[in-house]
């Protein structure tokens, strides 16, 4: 039988095995791995790796609040975000879909689903972000699984978290009962508000003091509490963008007890430390949590190497340099987040695999396999096997490029890694059998991405 596409002569790498094998693709699905095959089109992967496409389950390609005059907005949408993903080898994204003020959860999801269907060029899931845990919203949470969603997101840092915590806990219980995983932003809102006020009183509200407004203990106590929420509600918890050694220790202990607690970190905490904030345009590095100390960076690397951290995703939250470095910003009005979709996999490969800090198999787990398993997308996504979607990256481990955000796909126009020499990039990205990156050309059509329905009912925790 003739395949639509063959990836010829590469070294196939999955989390479980690697070795030379050709891959045959038919109707968007992997139809054959190894053996003799013929097809209508072939890509030459000699001297290259063939990896499962990246799964970046944490991105912001829609707005956190209703756009209105004077409100600054994140600069990417599902189209430019997809382009950045494709250029960096990512073929599945998970978008944070915020319930805007007064909005029903399902209306928020419908809004983003329509936007993504128009513009996304890679496959996607949407994580509903619960911002108003009313009785009606909690009832809606109960219906999410039946509607094909697999997750719920809450922010402990939000101003209404303490006052509405009863509702948030009931929502987590509803998530647990229906098989949804709860993503939790673990930073203590009350401590942060107090510290921001203190810095303002002391005349130190400028962004170079930003890390002092959210020190590691504000993350650690929130993380400990989130673990308590998991115990009390029975919810599986996915701790997003963990940044500190202190918070990681809490998660390690919880996982050792067998609690369903998963840990994500993001690239910022692997490559940068808080001294960056003291640079003249240091505001461009702000994220929540903030950049930490070298000891934390070392702990995060140790965590990704040993498996205490299961996922590296971006929290791609793009602003332009002008927006980030607006001199009127303070620790209270900071615009958090950076663009990272295009650099996620190349940076981790270059700084992790090439340096020997993590194995190739671990790289695949962190960027694809584990994430697909945690979010109920495996084995459709996250691996290379007969029957899986043909989401693949032909990876050149020796291709070297200097990061230049101005020439990259995100509308942010800069990268926090500008000027770094990075070795290891995709040469072809394939999404459901379509070649969407052909060397330096993005060949995807707008709107080709599909929403991935998740079967959350009867969720089984993966062993990671
Ligand atoms: Zn985020």
């Amino acid at each position: 039988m003739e395949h639509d596409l063959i990836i010829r002569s590469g070294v196939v790498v999955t989390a479980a095995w690697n070795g030379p094998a050709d891959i045959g693709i038919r109707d968007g699905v992997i139809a054959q791995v190894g053996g003799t095959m013929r097809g209508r089109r072939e890509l030459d992967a000699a001297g290259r790796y063939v990896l499962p496409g990246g799964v970046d389950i944490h991105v912001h390609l829609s707005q956190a609040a209703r756009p209105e005059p004077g409100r600054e907005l994140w600069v990417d949408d599902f189209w430019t975000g997809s382009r950045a993903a494709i250029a960096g080898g990512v073929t599945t994204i998970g978008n944070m879909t915020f319930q805007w003020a007064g909005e029903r959860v399902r209306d928020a999801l419908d809004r983003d689903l329509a936007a993504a269907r128009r513009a996304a060029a890679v496959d996607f899931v949407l994580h509903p972000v619960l911002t108003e845990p009313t009785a009606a919203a909690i009832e809606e949470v109960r219906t999410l699984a039946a509607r094909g969603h697999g997750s719920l997101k809450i922010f402990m840092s939000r101003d209404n978290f303490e006052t509405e915590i009863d509702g948030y806990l009931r929502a987590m219980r509803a998530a647990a009962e229906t098989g949804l995983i709860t993503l939790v932003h673990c930073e203590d809102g009350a401590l942060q508000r107090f510290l921001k006020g203190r810095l303002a009183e002391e005349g130190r509200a400028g962004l170079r003091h930003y890390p002092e407004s959210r020190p590691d203990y504000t993350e650690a106590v929130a993380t400990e509490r989130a673990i308590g929420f998991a115990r009390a509600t029975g919810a599986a918890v996915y701790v997003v963008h963990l940044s500190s050694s202190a918070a990681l220790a809490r998660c390690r202990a919880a996982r050792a007890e067998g609690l369903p607690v998963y840990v994500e970190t993001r690239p910022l905490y692997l490559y940068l430390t808080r001294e960056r904030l003291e640079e003249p345009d240091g505001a461009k590095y702000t994220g929540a949590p903030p950049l930490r100390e070298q000891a934390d960076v070392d702990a995060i690397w140790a965590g990704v190497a040993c498996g205490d951290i299961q996922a590296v995703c971006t929290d791609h939250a793009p602003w332009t340099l002008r927006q980030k470095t607006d001199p009127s910003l303070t620790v209270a009005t900071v615009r958090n987040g950076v663009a990272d979709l295009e650099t996620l996999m190349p940076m981790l490969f270059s700084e992790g695999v090439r340096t020997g800090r993590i194995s190739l198999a671990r790289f695949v787990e962190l960027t694809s396999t584990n994430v697909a398993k945690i979010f109920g997308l495996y084995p459709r996504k996250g691996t290379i096997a007969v029957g899986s979607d043909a989401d693949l990256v032909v990876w050149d481990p020796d291709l070297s490029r200097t990061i230049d955000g101005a020439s990259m796909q995100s509308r942010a126009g800069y990268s926090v890694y500008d000027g770094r020499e990075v070795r290891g990039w995709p040469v072809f990205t394939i999404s459901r059998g379509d070649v969407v990156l052909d060397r330096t050309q993005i060949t995807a059509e707008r709107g080709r991405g599909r929403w991935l329905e998740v079967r959350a009912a009867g969720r089984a925790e993966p062993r990671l």
Side-chain angles (χ1 to χ4, degrees):
M1 175 111 58
E2 195 180 50
H3 296 303
D4 300 328
L5 178 67
I6 290 175
I7 318 285
R8 192 72 87 181
S9 308
V11 173
V12 174
V13 182
T14 74
W17 66 277
N18 69 72
D22 296 345
I23 296 174
I25 296 163
R26 207 156 49 227
D27 299 327
V29 170
I30 297 170
Q32 186 179 345
V33 180
T36 56
M37 57 185 86
R38 57 196 176 80
R40 285 202 292 281
R41 183 181 177 191
E42 297 199 359
L43 296 180
D44 178 19
R48 290 158 180 169
Y49 296 127
V50 184
L51 312 172
V55 181
D56 184 353
I57 214 71
H58 186 167
V59 303
H60 296 271
L61 302 178
S62 60
Q63 302 301 327
R66 193 172 281 111
E68 54 190 42
R71 177 170 277 159
E72 293 281 345
L73 303 175
W74 280 317
V75 292
D76 281 328
D77 54 24
F78 285 101
W79 173 233
T80 55
S82 293
R83 293 176 61 91
I86 288 166
V90 170
T91 50
T92 302
I93 54 176
N95 184 69
M96 299 298 162
T97 293
F98 285 76
Q99 184 191 15
W100 291 348
E103 192 179 38
R104 294 190 305 177
V105 175
R106 63 189 300 168
D107 292 336
L109 287 166
D110 287 347
R111 167 170 51 77
D112 273 3
L113 200 49
R117 281 183 166 141
R118 278 195 304 274
V122 292
D123 293 350
F124 57 92
V125 296
L126 304 175
H127 307 294
V129 180
L130 188 65
T131 61
E132 296 175 357
T134 60
I138 295 162
E139 275 316 300
E140 282 196 89
V141 170
R142 289 190 189 286
T143 69
L144 290 173
R147 294 161 57 86
H149 300 286
S151 55
L152 181 73
K153 168 93 185 269
I154 65 172
F155 282 77
M156 297 177 70
S157 50
R158 282 184 79 90
D159 284 343
N160 72 343
F161 188 76
E162 298 301 335
T163 52
E164 298 184 48
I165 189 160
D166 294 350
Y168 279 112
L169 286 170
R170 279 199 291 276
M172 281 183 75
R173 179 67 184 146
E177 286 173 343
T178 52
L180 308 178
I181 186 165
T182 304
L183 297 86
V184 188
H185 179 125
C186 297
E187 286 188 295
D188 188 280
L191 287 174
Q192 270 177 36
R193 282 192 296 281
F194 175 79
L195 291 169
K196 285 179 211 165
R198 220 182 107 179
L199 286 166
E201 284 164 21
E202 293 166 358
R204 299 194 300 131
L207 288 184
R208 63 197 310 272
H209 300 291
Y210 172 70
E212 295 165 64
S213 70
R214 314 166 90 111
D216 63 349
Y217 61 83
T218 65
E219 182 185 23
V221 295
T223 304
E224 183 65 56
R225 216 166 155 212
I227 293 163
F229 299 165
R231 287 183 207 275
T233 64
V237 165
Y238 179 85
V239 176
V240 294
H241 53 50
L242 183 128
S243 69
S244 65
S245 175
L248 181 57
R250 299 332 196 256
C251 294
R252 189 184 298 117
R255 287 178 53 78
E257 276 187 57
L259 286 170
V261 173
Y262 304 97
V263 185
E264 170 199 275
T265 191
R266 70 168 156 170
L268 283 182
Y269 311 127
L270 289 165
Y271 313 120
L272 301 166
T273 55
R274 63 177 289 174
E275 288 75 31
R276 296 280 174 162
L277 274 291
E278 282 152 33
E279 293 177 6
D281 57 353
K284 70 184 181 186
Y285 299 106
T286 50
L291 297 180
R292 303 293 191 197
E293 310 292 341
Q294 186 58 47
D296 294 296
V297 170
D298 295 343
I300 299 295
W301 271 112
V304 298
C306 78
D308 285 345
I309 294 171
Q310 294 81 48
V312 182
C313 295
T314 58
D315 195 3
H316 181 93
W319 306 98
T320 64
L321 204 51
R322 175 197 66 77
Q323 288 175 308
K324 287 293 276 189
T325 58
D326 178 341
S328 71
L329 294 175
T330 69
V331 294
T333 57
V334 56
R335 292 183 188 126
N336 276 321
V338 304
D340 228 337
L341 258 167
E342 190 165 341
T343 36
L344 169 72
M345 292 177 70
M347 281 288 289
L348 188 60
F349 185 88
S350 191
E351 305 271 332
V353 179
R354 290 207 67 100
T355 58
R357 287 199 266 210
I358 58 172
S359 68
L360 201 47
R362 185 69 85 194
F363 174 76
V364 169
E365 284 184 340
L366 291 163
T367 57
S368 184
T369 312
N370 284 350
V371 193
K373 286 180 175 173
I374 293 167
F375 286 89
L377 302 172
Y378 187 89
R380 181 172 174 190
K381 306 295 188 187
T383 194
I384 297 174
V386 172
S388 293
D389 282 356
D391 288 9
L392 304 163
V393 197
V394 178
W395 192 272
D396 184 340
D398 296 313
L399 181 59
S400 190
R401 284 186 193 141
T402 303
I403 303 262
D404 171 26
S407 66
M408 294 171 87
Q409 299 296 328
S410 168
R411 292 193 187 109
Y414 83 100
S415 163
V416 287
Y417 318 113
D418 275 337
R420 289 216 197 193
E421 194 71 21
V422 171
R423 208 156 166 214
W425 290 86
V427 277
F428 300 107
T429 301
I430 297 137
S431 166
R432 274 182 287 100
D434 295 340
V435 178
V436 288
L437 176 75
D438 188 340
R439 295 171 186 90
T440 55
Q441 279 309 104
I442 289 170
T443 49
E445 275 173 41
R446 192 185 185 111
R448 64 167 296 286
R450 286 188 195 155
W451 175 55
L452 300 168
E453 235 175 289
V454 176
R455 239 179 286 159
R459 173 193 168 78
E461 298 306 330
R463 293 167 64 91
L464 302 175

